[in-house]
Amino acid sequence: MKIKYIDGKQLKNMVVRGCQVLERNKKFVDDLNVFPVPDGDTGTNMSLTMNSAKDEVESVVNGNVEAVAKALANGSLMGARGNSGVILSQIFRGFSKACKGKETLDVGDFAKALHMASDTAYGAVMKPIEGTILTIIRSVSERAMEIGEIEEDICRMLEMVIDHGEEVLSKTPDMLKVLKEAGVVDAGGKGLIFILNGFYEALTGKIIIEETTKREKKSNLKIHGDKSIQFGYCTEFIIKSTNANVENLKKKIMNMGDSMLVVGDENLVKVHIHTNNPGNVIEEGLKLGQLVDVKIDNMRYQHENRLEKKDLKKYGIVAVAMGEGIENIFKDINVDKVIAGGQTMNPSTQDIKEALDSINAENIFILPNNSNIILAANQAKALSEKNVIVIPTKTIPQGIGAVVAYNPENEVDVNEKNMNLAMKDIKTGQITYSVRETTFKDIDIKKGDILGISDGEIVTVGSEIENESHKLLKNIVDEDSEIITLFYGSDIEKERADKLAEEIEEEFEDCDVEVYYGGQPLYYYIFSVE
């Protein structure tokens, strides 16, 4: 069946089916990951991101292409997990930009949307690497632009675009040496192909399975009865208009409350204000156009975990960590909020933003403590109204070192500089196990092998945890090293960790050795060398 145009309903079906196809194949995508450690895998992260997008899209009732695409962009942005999820959210953000003002899409429109998706994704990555999902979205968008000039059928275009994408995907090992060594194609690129396959299936008559369960957001309300709040209702909404006068609206509502924020243009205006008469504010908004995303919160009836009204403190710190012991260490060194996450569980942009919102501070430092969380942290920063500084820590020891270098008496730029310098002075070693068979830099790795990792590189492979620990430390301890800190995981008993620490102290007699319970899953030991 030839399809010359797709409307909002069809686009919604495409998103739902794309999510389902990716969900069904996420394990396949996970298994393409070159790095064999049990970390936040590409397929899982992309699937979680798509599920968030799907939930948002399904909430759109009788929307046109613009409305559905906007929901797709917003849902994926807030649910983005890991680098692959963040890049996917940027792809959908670009796609949404091209759909602005569109009731339907024809072949040319769809091709331009893919082209904008590619440009936006590339623009969001500081140092784009070819042979990744970026290469795939660029290649399929270029092919779509070519087809859009000669083809009218969107189904036929998608079929040809997917074929081209698969062809380019098969060449990614020639673009990235690490893929060739492992004998796999790029995981993120394959995930994107699965999503496009879902789009194609939706348009060609495949049955879309209705989801019977929805994610529930739980909230416990507690009456605070704080009579000191002058304006009790936090009122927010978006105005969709054709000729809104933003400055005029500001003047009309500025005396109705405080904490006013009115931003946007003549077509879309975001309004936020604390007022005692939300109806009056809404009435002014209705004079300009249709209201969406209306939200009114009685600030005297706060969520249980919301901070009471008080002056902002100068600094706050958010850290991402996994393991009871490590979480407690961060709390002991005055980290305000520890987000549970790291290996296998990358927090979303929304998770990080909620942590930022929960801290009553003017300046907030984020410590991702994992390379796969840095992009999501930066997206949360962009969404926050506070001054957020992302310290790009990739490991737990780097995060702890950065916090130790922080001084609440220093200015923001001095703290940022000192925390970044401290992070770079710390070497990290990790002992874990392989979750799949692979070849990494000419090293044959079997499932279940014990791996020693130094700052993201596999340097030892063996069968015994303590042996690999010694071999790993020989790789990272040098004549300038003074302190070796050992964090033992949930699968290691204290006596075993203490015995290893004694052996390390004998082997590296010029270093002080410290032992802490980390409680982290999957990683038997984490070493900090400084």
Side-chain angles (χ1 to χ4, degrees), residues 126-145:
M126 187 172 296
K127 294 180 180 179
I129 298 175
E130 296 303 327
T132 66
I133 186 174
L134 293 173
T135 301
I136 303 306
I137 184 59
R138 191 194 72 243
S139 63
V140 299
S141 70
E142 290 172 349
R143 183 66 176 134
M145 292 295 286

Side-chain angles (χ1 to χ4, degrees), residues 222-238:
K222 181 179 180 180
I223 299 175
H224 287 293
D226 189 347
K227 296 181 180 178
S228 67
I229 297 176
Q230 183 179 2
F231 298 102
Y233 295 94
C234 177
T235 305
E236 294 181 279
F237 54 85
I238 293 172

Side-chain angles (χ1 to χ4, degrees), residues 270-282:
K270 169 75 173 180
V271 177
H272 171 279
I273 190 171
H274 294 172
T275 179
N276 284 329
N277 297 288
N280 292 347
V281 177
I282 288 174

